[in-house]
């Protein structure tokens, strides 16, 4: 049988032709698509960190930077550009003149809002909280603040003891001066006897709820030298000064839920316990060979570093517990001390003034970052006399250091002739007015005056006269009664 190879050869040739090129009917072949090259753009801040989520407008549409701060632009063989903006930064632009493998870098300049928080006299206020768009900063000791990457929004400013304010910032004006007004603090003194009975503490809280009282001054260390809360300061425990009468966290919480301003009164250099336990910390009396004593008072040496540190560590602890203000009482040299009293650094007027001023400056340096303002109790006559009164309290100097000055303008403490009265105690309103007017004229710094008023041996009407004198000058006040028993009839009821 003879076979023909023609059909087989034809099939093989056809198959080979099909494998070599596509069969296209009616038009030319379509070339395979090629990928358009792109150039990477790295967007970063002034510190070189990538900016994520920046929006770029390119010649070919919008792009957004990825988690590495990069977006890409198409390269069509000719120069191209992109403008970039990001929240909190000034807009920027980039030009791409040639294709390259390495990213082109674009640094955006941050928007920086700067300003100062001041009182109505223009003095800077430290530790004011300035918030904008989830960013919170605190003013420095000159009241200055700075917010980087600032975007338009609502600015909120708060400071302990001052009225909070807020306003809308449109992003245009980059420097602002913000004026705050102080709260009219109306406070009662809460001594150790209050915590002996739960009923008296409840009564104090009720007075605050029912009247215009909006603050309490809690003794955390009193004239006896006792520390009245459970402190972690080792020295207080070593010398046996701890006498726990209240739970500090509970007291802070009870005041917070009532919206009360919280002042901690810390007796500083008058300390019978520490002065007798560690003679090296005390004012030394060469006449007796031991710690100086006047009546029942023993004074720590204000120039002694250990004595200062003891008070400052207690103050830091109390501030961290949630108080708004640390009020240093007996922040002075002893009054009327003899020549036999010896201090580490001497006792000239310059030394005394410098000692008390630098102590309060140290307190501010350590307490301001924790969020507390610094108060100082001073003798009432200090608002009027020139000099330091022999105790280191010079009014104008103190007004540039402490946040709050609280003169004890008790009419019963002024002798015949003061403010033109034979018996100043019989003229409570006029005496308080005279003392406060003298102090207001001598203020040279950021301090506000908030006086201690007398609520002992007085009728409600006499207490009221003092309150009216303070409030007529737009000043707050604190009522002093050692036993914390007050003339409630002198207080205006709280209005809804």
């Amino acid at each position: 049988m003879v076979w023909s190879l023609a059909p087989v050869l034809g099939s093989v040739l056809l198959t080979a032709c099909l494998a070599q090129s596509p069969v296209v009917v009616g038009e030319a072949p379509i070339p395979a698509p090629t990928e358009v090259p792109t150039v990477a753009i790295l967007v970063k801040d002034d510190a070189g960190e990538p900016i994520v989520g920046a929006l770029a407008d390119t010649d070919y549409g919008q792009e957004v930077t990825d988690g590495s701060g990069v977006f890409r632009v198409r390269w069509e063989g000719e120069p191209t550009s992109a403008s970039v903006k990001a929240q909190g930064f000034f807009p920027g632009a980039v030009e791409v003149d040639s294709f390259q493998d390495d990213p082109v870098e674009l640094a955006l300049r941050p928007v920086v809002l700067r300003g100062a928080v001041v009182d109505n006299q223009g003095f800077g206020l430290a530790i004011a909280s300035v918030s904008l768009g989830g960013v919170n900063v605190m003013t420095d000791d000159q009241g200055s603040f700075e917010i980087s990457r600032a975007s338009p929004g609502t600015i909120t400013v708060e400071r302990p003891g001052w009225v909070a304010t807020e306003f809308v910032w449109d992003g245009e004006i980059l420097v602002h001066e913000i004026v705050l007004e102080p709260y009219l603090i109306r406070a009662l003194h809460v001594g150790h006897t209050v915590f002996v009975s739960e009923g008296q503490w409840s009564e104090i809280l009720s007075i605050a709820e029912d009247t215009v009282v909006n603050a309490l001054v809690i003794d955390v260390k009193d004239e006896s030298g006792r520390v009245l809360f459970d402190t972690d300061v080792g020295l207080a425990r070593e010398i046996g000064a701890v006498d726990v009468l209240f739970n500090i966290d509970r007291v802070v919480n009870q005041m917070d839920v009532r919206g009360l301003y919280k002042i901690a009164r810390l007796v500083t250099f008058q300390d019978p316990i520490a002065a007798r336990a560690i003679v090296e910390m005390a004012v030394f009396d060469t006449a007796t060979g031991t710690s100086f004593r006047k009546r029942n008072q023993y004074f720590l040496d204000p120039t002694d570093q250990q004595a200062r540190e003891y008070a400052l560590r207690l103050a830091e602890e109390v501030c961290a517990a949630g108080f708004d203000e640390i009020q240093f009482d007996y922040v002075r040299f002893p009054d009327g001390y003899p020549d036999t009293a010896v201090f580490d650094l001497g006792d000239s007027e310059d030394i005394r003034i410098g000692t008390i001023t630098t102590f309060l400056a140290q307190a501010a340096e350590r307490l301001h970052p924790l969020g507390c303002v610094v108060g100082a109790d001073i003798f009432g006559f200090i608002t009027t006399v020139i000099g330091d009164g022999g105790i280191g309290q010079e009014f104008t100097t103190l007004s540039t250091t402490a946040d709050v000055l609280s003169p004890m303008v008790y009419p019963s403490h002024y002798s015949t002739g003061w403010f033109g009265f034979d018996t100043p105690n019989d003229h409570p309103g006029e005496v308080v007015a005279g003392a406060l007017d003298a102090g207001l004229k001598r203020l040279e710094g950021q301090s506000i005056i908030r006086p201690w008023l007398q609520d002992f041996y007085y009728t409600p009407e006499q207490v009221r006269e003092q309150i009216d004198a303070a409030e007529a000058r737009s000043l707050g006040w604190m009522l002093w009664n050692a036993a914390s028993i007050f003339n409630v009839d002198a207080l205006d009821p709280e209005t809804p």
Side-chain angles (χ1 to χ4, degrees):
M1 186 174 188
V2 180
W3 296 92
S4 174
L5 296 176
V8 176
L9 291 171
S11 175
V12 171
L13 291 171
L14 178 60
T15 302
C17 290
L18 290 173
Q20 290 177 6
S21 61
V23 176
V24 179
V25 179
E27 61 182 62
I30 301 174
T34 59
E35 185 175 349
V36 178
T38 60
V39 176
I41 310 294
L42 171 60
V43 183
K44 58 184 184 178
D45 62 18
D46 56 331
E49 296 298 318
I51 300 175
V52 178
L55 180 64
D57 284 316
T58 77
D59 293 338
Y60 307 101
Q62 287 191 329
E63 301 288 341
V64 178
T65 56
D66 60 18
S68 300
V70 171
F71 73 94
R72 308 188 78 88
V73 295
R74 292 172 59 181
W75 175 253
E76 297 282 7
E78 59 184 26
T80 186
S81 63
S83 59
V84 183
K85 56 186 178 181
Q87 191 173 39
F89 292 86
F90 291 105
V94 62
E95 296 282 342
V96 180
D97 295 325
S98 61
F99 179 79
Q100 61 184 70
D101 293 327
D102 294 331
V104 177
E105 294 187 358
L106 170 63
L108 296 185
R109 185 164 58 94
V111 175
V112 180
L113 171 65
R114 294 182 174 89
V117 179
V118 300
D119 64 14
N120 54 20
Q121 301 297 316
F123 291 107
L125 297 175
I127 66 164
S129 167
V130 184
S131 300
L132 172 65
V135 177
N136 178 266
V137 298
M138 186 176 289
T139 57
D140 62 20
D141 279 348
Q142 284 70 50
S144 301
F145 69 90
E146 181 177 294
I147 297 178
S148 186
R149 301 190 181 190
S151 297
T154 299
I155 295 177
T156 302
V157 184
E158 300 174 305
R159 188 179 196 262
W162 293 68
V163 181
T165 187
E166 67 177 32
F167 61 94
V168 176
W169 178 57
D170 60 10
E172 296 297 322
I173 301 175
L174 297 180
V175 179
H176 274 271
E177 183 176 88
I178 304 167
V179 180
L180 291 188
E181 295 287 339
Y183 272 124
L184 203 65
I185 297 296
R186 303 173 172 101
L188 303 179
H189 166 243
V190 180
H192 73 275
T193 57
V194 169
F195 297 106
V196 174
S197 166
E198 184 67 27
Q200 191 175 1
W201 171 237
S202 297
E203 183 179 348
I204 292 289
L205 292 176
S206 294
I207 293 173
E209 290 174 344
D210 297 338
T211 70
V212 294
V213 168
N214 58 13
L216 297 176
V217 184
I218 309 293
D219 280 358
V220 293
K221 175 176 179 276
D222 66 9
E223 294 88 339
S224 70
R226 294 178 300 166
V227 178
L228 305 178
F229 67 98
D230 191 13
T231 178
D232 289 329
V233 175
L235 180 60
R237 295 187 174 279
E238 291 169 15
I239 63 177
V242 182
D243 183 12
V244 179
L245 294 185
F246 62 88
N247 181 296
I248 195 167
D249 294 329
R250 175 172 174 261
V251 165
V252 165
N253 181 66
Q254 288 176 312
M255 294 175 70
D256 278 339
V257 298
R258 291 167 173 81
L260 298 174
Y261 184 70
K262 306 175 296 294
I263 305 171
R265 175 176 172 262
L266 196 159
V267 173
T268 308
F269 296 124
Q270 202 285 109
D271 189 330
I273 295 176
R276 288 182 288 184
I278 306 178
V279 177
E280 294 79 8
M281 288 173 59
V283 178
F284 189 77
D285 191 346
T286 57
T288 62
T290 188
S291 302
F292 170 72
R293 174 184 179 183
K294 183 178 180 181
R295 297 184 295 274
N296 292 322
Q297 293 183 345
Y298 291 79
F299 267 79
L300 299 179
D301 181 353
T303 71
D304 182 83
Q305 186 55 44
Q306 187 178 14
R308 295 159 72 96
E309 185 65 20
Y310 180 37
L312 291 172
R313 290 191 60 196
L314 287 170
E316 288 176 315
E317 186 177 35
V318 171
C319 179
F323 278 84
D324 301 302
E325 176 179 325
I326 309 301
Q327 180 188 95
F328 293 97
D329 198 1
Y330 287 87
V331 58
R332 60 178 177 85
F333 284 65
D335 57 302
Y337 54 86
D339 293 339
T340 55
V342 178
F343 303 84
D344 288 356
L345 301 180
D347 64 345
S348 69
E349 182 173 66
D350 286 345
I351 290 174
R352 291 192 301 265
I353 293 173
T355 295
I356 301 306
T357 303
T358 58
F359 173 79
L360 292 172
Q362 279 184 293
E365 182 179 339
R366 290 167 64 162
L367 296 175
H368 281 174
L370 298 178
C372 286
V373 298
V374 174
D377 291 340
I378 61 176
F379 277 173
F381 74 86
I382 292 297
T383 66
T384 306
V385 301
I386 302 301
D388 76 331
I391 57 175
Q393 294 181 345
E394 200 283 316
F395 188 81
T396 55
T397 305
L398 291 177
S399 75
T400 66
T401 308
D403 297 303
V404 182
L405 289 179
S406 295
M408 298 172 282
V409 291
Y410 311 135
S412 63
H413 285 31
Y414 288 91
S415 58
T416 298
W418 274 95
F419 306 110
F421 299 113
D422 291 336
T423 309
N425 192 49
D426 292 341
H427 304 272
E430 293 94 333
V431 168
V432 169
L436 296 181
D437 285 343
L440 289 169
K441 292 176 183 177
R442 298 177 63 203
L443 280 175
E444 290 188 0
Q446 79 286 347
S447 293
I448 62 172
I449 297 178
R450 187 197 310 133
W452 277 109
L453 305 181
Q454 179 175 329
D455 196 356
F456 50 91
Y457 312 134
Y458 263 174
T459 65
E461 291 75 22
Q462 290 172 310
V463 174
R464 187 70 226 183
E465 285 185 37
Q466 298 172 88
I467 291 174
D468 288 342
E471 295 199 355
R473 288 153 180 79
S474 300
L475 300 178
W477 43 266
M478 299 172 293
L479 294 186
W480 175 267
N481 183 291
S484 300
I485 299 172
F486 302 99
N487 280 296
V488 179
D489 290 343
L491 304 173
D492 290 328
E494 176 69 354
T495 56

